């Protein structure tokens, strides 16, 4: 009896079921064997297939569906526990019923997530989507076919080989001056599912006051992570100095010296323009400001951004351009030294976008530092002083591929258009040229020189 | 040195921003503008419609008998929970990204939640007033009974309703704070409602092992408070008597053997009455009066002609009778309507008996009409309010951890 239970538990752990029916057993064994080979093809160690819970996570890595894999592995862990518990509980009892219902519920969710992972695997192996039916109904068959037949090969590996750029550090620290912004970012890491992931590494720069800087980078290169590290919202292992003061050490007092305008116009549609700005002033301006002073600042900002004619309109009734200007005005109300804008031109036509960037140029000319993320930089590139190019290296870590004047960037990358520069550092599977590592190292060499 | 301290103080003053309390009016103002300019005002007519529907169903039953009162307490609690849940289920998640931005700009989460608490309280108060007014208009019967905590029943019920509604509102605020999207919040909502209503444990009897769960629902304490205020335990339980009376024409018919009837004479009930005199002693005077004859001697009238006969003697006589013994296997059909049986005992007597005994059986300690019980239930609901509000604050403090 005890031996039988131990056997069942082992069967559940390895194959996910304790069924001794010949068909189930054959499918379970072939699934494990086939998956072993698939793992090896994808660059994952085959023995992971014998580790319950971790198996589905590793499969999701092969399928480039890591997020789904996390959920799936948690679900499998719970299902394994329930399955084992059911061996010790009377199936006819209330506890047995509860476990059965729980198993059904989790099983349904598990199936949905499995479909997502299998679809990812199908994409990685460049196969027809119809395979997913076979994977769900009898996983052992496709696992054996894909695992043992040479014609089924993944388009890319789950775990890539480390290359030179990964180990390479420029080590050049940017100077700290009384005026301007200095970024000395060693690394920015995040823990995801018990795994440390480096999001950004080795970024050093000094931005002069009055400069308008373009921040370029492909999807996932770490642009938003970078600006969040700079504005202190998501601190990194770094030293961020604004006008000689350490941002992280003085976050409370310097928080209002940085304006961050998010990509979306995050404002309440039920408020009027005037009310939105007076509330923003009440929050952002120091309490030493008297009410008349606050209202005067609101009027001033409305004039700067051309919002005075619509001051009584509800935000929900504003045009896209007006909304964008209001969103910027909300941050500008505290007269920040550093102004960061995440795609301020999204949803605006060429003329409106140009007008907006000209306004930003005007603000920069007053001695402010402006950093802008945009995906259509070429139509307004003449307004910028510098460009920061972030690129995802082979380890998918955001690295600095360039910081400096626009003209020099063109020469460095050998590209005229900014959009072509982004394309050159983007990965091949994203439609780019996959030269990120090359430029990261080249830029480091330039800095050393 | 003092100059340095003065400079530090000056710098502090320069950078000091609005504190938690000072931020509350900013967000309260935003909520009130949302009420006017967006769709929050719609909860008031919705509350009126729901209250009218429920009131039309339960009117004439509340304050009259136990079952009607319990049904009314359940219905009023349902209305309150429904109102509360819908008030705030989308309140936070619909503007989650905005909260994140404002938190980044110096907004205190505690001020934001406090503003919500004030606003939602006002909303619940308005809904309660509307609901109570509609119930009064549709003759739910508040005037049938004086209030217990206040002189007016509608105020008593109103306080309970407001508390339940506010607690449900805070629960929804918590769900809204946890949910990333409005769809997520609206998906969870039905489960919460079903849990609150089914696990209240009042109308739907719960299995013993699941009963402790009902202590975790707002509805349990709401129903208890309202049922107590409506003097549930002091009301009759009509259902059983009404059912019996409705069955007046139903016939009871049973064929039993004589032998079975004889066996019944040995039952404990019959044994209890065996010594009871069925036929009293008959004197000569009584016999003469019955036969309308004159006794020869006046003194003979006290002469006992036959001894008193007990039930036991008659039963024994029957049991030993040859005739009965010979017909032991013969069937005898007994037939009577429920009405005849009720009338045999007297309708009023049966009604009083049934209603008293069933009301005793329906008595519930948790519905006892005392200040201590009612205030205890209100305090429990109050605890839920505080708990949900604090949890909302704690959950929202982590809003920065949201995935981009």
């Amino acid at each position: 009896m005890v031996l039988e239970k131990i056997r069942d538990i082992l069967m559940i752990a390895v194959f996910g079921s304790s069924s001794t029916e010949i068909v189930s057993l054959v499918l379970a064994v072939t699934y494990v064997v086939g998956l072993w080979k698939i793992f090896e093809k994808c660059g994952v160690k085959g023995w992971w297939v014998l580790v319950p819970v971790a198996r589905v996570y590793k499969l999701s890595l092969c399928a480039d569906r890591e997020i789904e894999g996390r959920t799936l592995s948690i679900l499998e862990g719970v299902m394994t526990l329930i399955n084992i518990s059911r061996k010790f509980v009377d199936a006819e009892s209330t506890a047995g019923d509860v476990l059965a219902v729980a198993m059904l519920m989790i099983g349904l969710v598990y199936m949905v997530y499995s479909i997502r992972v299998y679809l990812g695997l199908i994409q990685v192996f460049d196969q027809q989507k119809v395979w997913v039916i076979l994977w769900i109904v009898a996983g052992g068959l496709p696992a054996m076919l894909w695992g043992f037949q040479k014609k089924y090969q993944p388009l890319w590996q789950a775990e890539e080989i480390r290359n030179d750029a990964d180990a390479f550090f420029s080590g050049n620290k940017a100077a700290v001056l009384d005026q301007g912004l200095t970024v000395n970012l060693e690394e920015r890491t995040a823990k995801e599912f018990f795994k440390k992931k480096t999001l950004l590494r080795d970024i050093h720069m000094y931005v002069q006051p009055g400069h308008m800087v373009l921040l370029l980078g492909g999807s996932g290169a770490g642009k938003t992570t970078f600006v969040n590290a700079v504005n202190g919202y998501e601190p990194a292992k770094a030293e961020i100095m604004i006008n000689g003061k350490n941002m992280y050490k003085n976050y409370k007092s310097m928080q209002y010296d940085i304006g961050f305008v998010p990509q979306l116009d995050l404002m309440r549609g039920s408020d009027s323009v005037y009310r939105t700005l007076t509330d923003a002033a009440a929050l952002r301006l120091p309490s030493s400001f008297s009410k008349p002073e606050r209202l005067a600042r609101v009027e001033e900002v409305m004039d700067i951004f051309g919002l005075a004619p619509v001051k009584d309109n509800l935000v929900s009734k504003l045009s896209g351009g007006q909304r964008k200007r209001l969103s910027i005005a909300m941050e500008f109300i505290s007269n920040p030294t550093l102004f960061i804008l995440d795609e301020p031109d999204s949803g605006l036509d060429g003329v409106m976008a140009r007008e907006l960037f000209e306004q930003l140029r005007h603000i920069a000319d007053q001695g402010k530092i402006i950093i802008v993320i945009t995906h259509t930089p070429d139509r307004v590139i003449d307004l910028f002083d510098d460009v920061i190019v972030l690129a995802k290296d082979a380890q998918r870590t955001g690295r600095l591929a360039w910081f400096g004047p626009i003209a020099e960037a063109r020469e460095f990358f050998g590209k005229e258009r900014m959009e072509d520069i982004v394309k050159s550092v983007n990965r091949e599977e994203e439609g780019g040229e996959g030269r990120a590592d090359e430029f990261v190292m080249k830029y480091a060499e330039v800095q050393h020189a | 040195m003092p100059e340095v301290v003065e400079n530090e103080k000056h710098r502090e003053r320069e950078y000091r921003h609005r504190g938690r309390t000072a931020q509350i009016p900013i967000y309260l103002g935003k909520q009130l503008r949302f009420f006017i300019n967006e769709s929050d005002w719609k909860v008031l007519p919705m509350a009126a419609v729901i209250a009218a529907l429920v009131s039309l169903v339960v009117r004439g039953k509340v304050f009259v008998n136990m079952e009607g009162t319990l049904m009314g307490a359940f219905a009023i609690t349902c209305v309150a929970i429904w109102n509360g849940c819908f008030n705030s289920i989308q309140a936070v998640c619909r503007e989650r990204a905005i909260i994140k931005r404002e938190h980044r700009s110096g907004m205190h989460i505690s001020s934001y939640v406090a503003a919500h608490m004030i606003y939602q309280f006002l909303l619940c108060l308005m809904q309660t007033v509307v609901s109570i007014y509609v119930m009064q208009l549709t003759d739910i019967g508040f005037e049938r009974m004086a209030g217990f905590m206040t002189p007016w029943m509608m105020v008593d019920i109103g306080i309970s309703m407001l508390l339940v509604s506010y607690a449900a509102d805070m629960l929804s605020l918590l769900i809204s704070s946890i949910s990333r999207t409005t769809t997520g919040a609206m998906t969870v909502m039905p489960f919460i409602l079903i849990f609150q209503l089914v696990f209240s444990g009042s109308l739907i009897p719960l299995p013993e092992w699941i009963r402790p769960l009902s202590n975790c629902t707002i509805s349990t304490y709401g129903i208890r408070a309202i049922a107590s205020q409506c003097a549930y335990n002091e009301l009759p339980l009509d259902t059983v008597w009404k059912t019996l009376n409705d069955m007046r024409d139903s016939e009871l018919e049973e064929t039993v053997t004589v032998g079975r009837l004889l066996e019944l004479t040995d039952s404990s009930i019959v044994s209890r009455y065996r010594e009871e005199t069925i036929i009293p002693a008959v004197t000569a005077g009584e016999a003469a009066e019955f036969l309308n004859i004159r006794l020869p001697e006046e003194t003979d009238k006290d002469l006992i002609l036959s001894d008193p006969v007990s039930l036991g003697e008659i039963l024994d006589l029957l049991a030993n009778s040859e005739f009965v013994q010979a017909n032991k296997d013969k069937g005898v059909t007994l037939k009577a309507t429920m009405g005849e049986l009720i009338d045999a005992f007297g309708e009023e007597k049966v009604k009083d008996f049934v209603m008293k005994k069933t009301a005793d059986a329906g008595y519930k300690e948790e519905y006892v009409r005392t200040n201590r019980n009612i205030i205890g239930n209100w305090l429990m609901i109050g605890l839920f309010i505080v708990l949900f509000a604090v949890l909302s604050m704690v959950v929202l403090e982590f809003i920065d951890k949201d995935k981009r």
Side-chain angles (χ1 to χ4, degrees):
Chain A
M1 191 66 183
V2 175
L3 281 175
E4 228 169 69
K5 282 218 180 331
I6 293 170
R7 184 207 68 192
D8 285 353
I9 291 167
L10 280 173
M11 292 278 285
I12 289 165
V14 178
F15 300 121
S17 158
S18 63
S19 170
T20 47
E21 278 177 34
I22 192 72
V23 177
S24 304
L25 200 60
V26 168
L27 280 176
V29 172
T30 50
Y31 183 74
V32 168
V33 173
L35 224 50
W36 187 306
K37 298 299 285 178
I38 289 176
F39 277 15
E40 284 177 349
K41 280 184 177 179
C42 293
V44 173
K45 288 183 179 67
W47 54 263
W48 276 111
V49 80
L50 298 175
V51 184
V53 181
R55 167 178 45 210
V56 279
Y57 178 66
K58 292 290 176 183
L59 179 64
S60 73
L61 288 183
C62 296
D64 204 23
R65 292 281 192 278
E66 191 189 351
I67 293 167
E68 284 84 356
R70 286 178 207 162
T71 311
L72 210 53
S73 53
I74 292 168
L75 291 174
E76 189 172 277
V78 177
M79 281 167 73
T80 307
L81 285 177
I82 293 176
N83 260 332
I84 293 170
S85 310
R86 288 176 79 184
K87 292 284 158 200
F88 298 95
V89 170
D90 177 13
E92 300 300 317
S93 67
T94 311
D97 290 344
V98 170
L99 286 176
V101 173
M103 192 67 190
L104 179 75
M105 278 167 57
I106 296 168
L108 287 171
V109 183
Y110 188 86
M111 197 174 76
V112 173
Y113 275 82
S114 297
I115 291 173
R116 288 184 189 175
V117 169
Y118 288 137
L119 284 172
L121 199 67
I122 287 164
Q123 206 177 340
V124 170
F125 276 77
D126 198 21
Q127 295 299 314
Q128 297 287 320
K129 281 185 179 164
V130 72
W131 273 97
V132 79
I133 300 170
L134 203 57
W135 271 106
I136 291 294
V137 177
L141 292 177
M144 290 296 276
L145 276 173
W146 291 25
F148 285 93
Q149 282 205 6
K150 278 188 180 161
K151 70 169 187 172
Y152 298 102
Q153 291 297 331
L155 294 179
W156 61 86
Q157 299 255 302
E159 289 173 7
E160 303 214 23
I161 303 151
R162 295 169 75 86
N163 72 351
D164 298 342
D166 180 49
F168 193 86
F169 272 92
S170 72
N172 280 348
K173 279 205 163 188
V176 179
L177 300 178
D178 282 349
Q179 295 293 310
L181 165 72
T182 303
V183 176
N184 278 313
L185 187 150
E186 282 180 41
E187 63 173 12
R188 161 82 171 94
T189 56
K191 259 202 170 160
E192 282 190 350
F193 205 61
F194 315 113
K195 207 169 72 179
K196 187 179 161 187
K197 205 172 169 181
T198 307
L199 307 174
L200 290 174
R201 170 185 276 183
D202 195 26
I203 298 172
H204 307 275
M205 65 182 70
Y206 167 72
V207 185
Q208 287 180 44
H211 272 221
M212 187 155 138
V213 184
L214 170 66
L215 177 53
L216 284 183
S219 149
K223 298 186 294 291
T224 311
T225 310
F226 174 72
V227 294
N228 281 344
V230 170
N231 67 26
Y233 194 55
E234 290 172 356
K237 191 178 173 193
E239 190 183 57
I240 311 293
M241 308 292 283
I242 300 173
N243 292 345
K245 272 180 78 178
N246 191 312
M247 169 68 194
Y248 289 175
K249 286 183 182 163
N250 302 284
Y251 183 71
K252 279 220 158 169
S253 59
M254 293 179 75
Q255 182 185 5
Y256 302 93
D257 211 18
I258 299 173
F260 178 77
V261 182
Q263 185 184 348
L264 299 171
D265 303 325
L266 303 173
M267 296 166 292
R268 290 181 177 81
S270 54
D271 277 343
S272 67
V273 169
Y274 184 71
R275 188 53 85 170
T276 303
L277 287 173
T278 50
D279 284 350
L283 266 184
R284 289 167 175 81
L285 290 176
S287 44
S288 55
F289 269 61
S290 65
K291 196 177 175 185
E293 282 174 323
R294 264 202 328 264
L295 296 182
R297 177 68 184 154
V298 168
E299 296 289 345
E300 188 188 347
V301 168
M302 279 198 302
D303 286 339
I304 292 171
F305 288 94
L307 293 166
V310 290
K311 65 183 276 193
D312 295 321
N313 289 18
L314 288 182
V315 173
S316 57
K317 308 284 179 204
L318 296 180
S319 70
Q322 286 168 333
R323 235 185 262 195
K324 193 63 74 182
R325 276 183 278 148
L326 177 60
S327 182
I328 297 170
M330 280 172 71
E331 297 299 328
F332 193 66
I333 214 143
S334 59
N335 198 18
T337 307
L338 172 62
F339 212 27
I340 303 169
L341 300 100
D342 192 353
E343 295 185 45
D345 54 343
S346 66
L348 299 186
D349 61 39
V351 178
M352 285 173 89
R354 177 89 202 167
E355 268 178 30
L356 183 69
F357 278 95
E358 278 170 355
Q359 251 168 350
L360 293 175
R361 179 71 255 178
H362 180 66
I363 293 169
D365 290 340
Q366 292 164 13
K368 312 280 179 196
I369 296 170
I370 295 185
I371 299 176
V372 183
I373 299 172
T374 174
H375 288 300
T376 47
D378 290 300
R379 59 187 179 182
V380 286
I381 195 64
D382 56 301
L383 299 170
F384 287 95
D385 300 298
D386 299 315
V387 58
I388 300 167
V389 182
L390 291 181
K392 210 163 26 172
D393 70 10
Q395 286 295 310
R396 301 193 183 188
T397 300
R399 307 286 295 267
L400 186 60
W402 173 260
F403 168 69
I406 306 288
E408 289 176 30
R410 285 181 172 133
E411 200 180 316
F412 179 81
F413 288 98
K415 307 277 181 188
E416 191 56 31
R417 297 173 66 241
M418 294 298 119
E419 283 165 31
D420 290 336
I421 292 178
V422 176
K423 206 173 168 186
S424 68
V425 294
N426 272 355
R427 291 158 67 93
E428 281 173 12
E429 61 261 29
E430 293 165 349
E433 293 172 15
R435 295 170 65 192
D437 290 311
E438 176 194 330
F439 287 119
V440 168
M441 284 198 288
K442 188 179 164 189
Y443 178 66
E445 280 164 19
V446 170
Q447 277 186 303
H448 271 294
Chain B
M1 195 64 181
E3 204 176 301
V4 175
V5 174
E6 196 56 40
N7 280 343
E8 280 298 315
K9 275 186 182 171
H10 177 73
R11 200 170 297 143
E12 240 178 60
R13 245 200 326 271
E14 194 183 329
Y15 289 124
R16 191 175 295 154
H17 285 71
R18 281 198 172 215
R20 289 168 201 276
T21 316
Q23 280 190 9
I24 295 173
I26 298 177
Y27 288 96
L28 189 56
K30 285 186 188 295
Q31 302 297 333
L32 294 173
R33 286 193 292 279
F34 196 87
F35 179 81
I36 300 295
N37 296 327
E38 299 279 338
S39 54
D40 266 15
W41 59 270
K42 288 177 186 164
V43 298
L44 294 183
M46 198 171 88
V49 173
I50 296 168
L53 284 173
V54 169
S55 182
L56 288 171
V57 173
V58 301
R59 68 176 174 180
K61 296 173 187 135
V62 194
F63 313 108
V64 174
N65 52 37
M66 277 181 163
E67 53 275 45
T69 301
L70 192 59
M71 195 204 297
F74 181 76
I76 291 169
T77 306
C78 285
V79 171
I81 288 179
W82 187 272
N83 285 341
C85 278
F86 271 97
N87 284 350
S88 58
I89 191 69
Q90 297 190 2
V92 178
C93 54
R94 72 183 165 207
E95 54 176 33
R96 197 171 178 90
I98 298 173
I99 301 166
K100 211 175 152 187
R101 180 185 186 177
E102 285 174 347
H103 190 221
R104 188 183 262 210
S105 309
M107 178 192 83
H108 293 291
I109 292 294
S110 51
S111 312
Y112 177 77
V113 175
H116 259 298
M117 286 179 75
I118 297 168
Y119 170 68
Q120 297 297 340
F121 180 79
L122 295 173
L123 213 57
C124 289
L125 181 65
M126 284 191 281
Q127 283 177 318
T128 305
V129 170
V130 168
S131 301
I132 292 284
Y133 179 66
V134 168
M135 286 177 191
Q136 173 71 7
L137 273 184
T138 47
D139 293 330
I140 199 167
F142 288 131
E143 65 289 342
R144 284 203 183 99
M145 202 179 270
F148 187 67
M149 306 299 286
T150 69
W152 309 278
M153 179 53 84
M154 67 165 76
V155 177
D156 266 28
I157 303 280
I159 295 170
S160 295
M161 210 176 159
L162 173 64
L163 285 171
V164 172
S165 176
Y166 192 41
D169 195 310
M170 288 297 108
L171 172 62
S172 287
L173 193 74
L174 173 61
I175 295 164
S176 193
S177 304
I178 296 168
S179 304
R180 299 274 189 275
T181 59
T182 49
T183 317
M186 292 307 279
T187 310
V188 177
M189 171 87 161
F191 293 103
I192 299 296
L193 276 175
I194 288 172
F195 181 78
Q196 289 292 334
L197 303 181
V198 171
F199 286 87
S200 67
S202 57
L203 285 190
I204 304 164
L206 297 173
E208 192 63 45
W209 63 274
I210 220 167
R211 227 167 270 173
L213 269 183
S214 71
N215 293 329
C216 306
T217 62
I218 305 160
S219 50
T220 299
Y221 302 99
I223 291 170
R224 282 182 190 172
I226 295 172
S228 309
Q229 287 167 326
C230 298
Y232 171 89
N233 281 337
E234 293 154 33
L235 295 170
L237 188 73
D238 283 349
T239 312
V240 179
W241 165 244
K242 274 186 181 162
T243 312
L244 275 177
N245 210 26
D246 288 347
M247 288 166 62
R248 269 185 163 275
D249 296 332
S250 306
E251 270 191 348
L252 285 171
E253 187 179 326
E254 186 65 42
T255 304
V256 285
T257 60
V258 173
R260 173 73 188 128
L261 278 176
L262 282 176
E263 279 170 23
L264 284 175
T265 60
D266 289 335
S267 71
S268 60
I269 304 170
V270 176
S271 313
R272 220 183 296 156
Y273 300 101
R274 278 188 77 86
E275 300 307 320
E276 292 284 322
T277 303
I278 299 297
I279 305 167
V282 179
T283 61
E286 285 166 338
E289 198 180 333
F290 182 73
L291 296 169
N292 203 17
I293 53 170
R294 278 190 69 181
L295 286 174
E297 291 294 330
E298 191 61 23
T299 49
D300 293 340
K301 71 175 183 186
D302 293 328
L303 190 72
I304 292 172
L305 296 181
S306 70
D307 288 332
V309 182
S310 68
L311 178 66
E313 285 169 322
I314 295 173
L315 291 174
D316 290 342
L317 194 70
L318 280 171
N320 297 325
S321 135
E322 275 180 28
F323 176 76
V324 170
Q325 287 298 334
N327 291 289
K328 235 180 164 181
D329 297 327
K330 209 169 179 185
V332 177
T333 301
L334 300 171
K335 204 171 170 184
T337 63
M338 186 60 82
E340 284 167 341
L341 285 173
I342 291 170
D343 292 339
F345 286 94
E347 184 177 324
E348 280 307 307
K349 216 172 167 184
V350 175
K351 186 180 172 184
D352 285 350
F353 175 80
V354 170
M355 286 179 69
K356 189 181 178 315
K357 291 291 172 192
T358 50
D360 287 349
Y363 179 90
K364 285 190 175 133
E365 194 59 40
E366 59 264 32
Y367 299 152
V368 68
R369 200 186 201 205
T370 58
N371 282 338
R372 189 189 162 85
N373 187 34
I374 295 167
I375 292 172
N377 285 313
W378 284 354
L379 281 175
M380 281 307 293
I381 301 171
L383 269 179
F384 276 118
I385 294 169
V386 174
L387 176 73
F388 295 143
V390 169
L391 285 177
S392 300
M393 270 183 222
V394 173
V395 167
L396 280 179
E397 284 291 350
F398 293 96
I399 196 164
D400 298 339
K401 305 281 177 200
D402 275 12
K403 284 217 172 76
R404 287 195 297 269

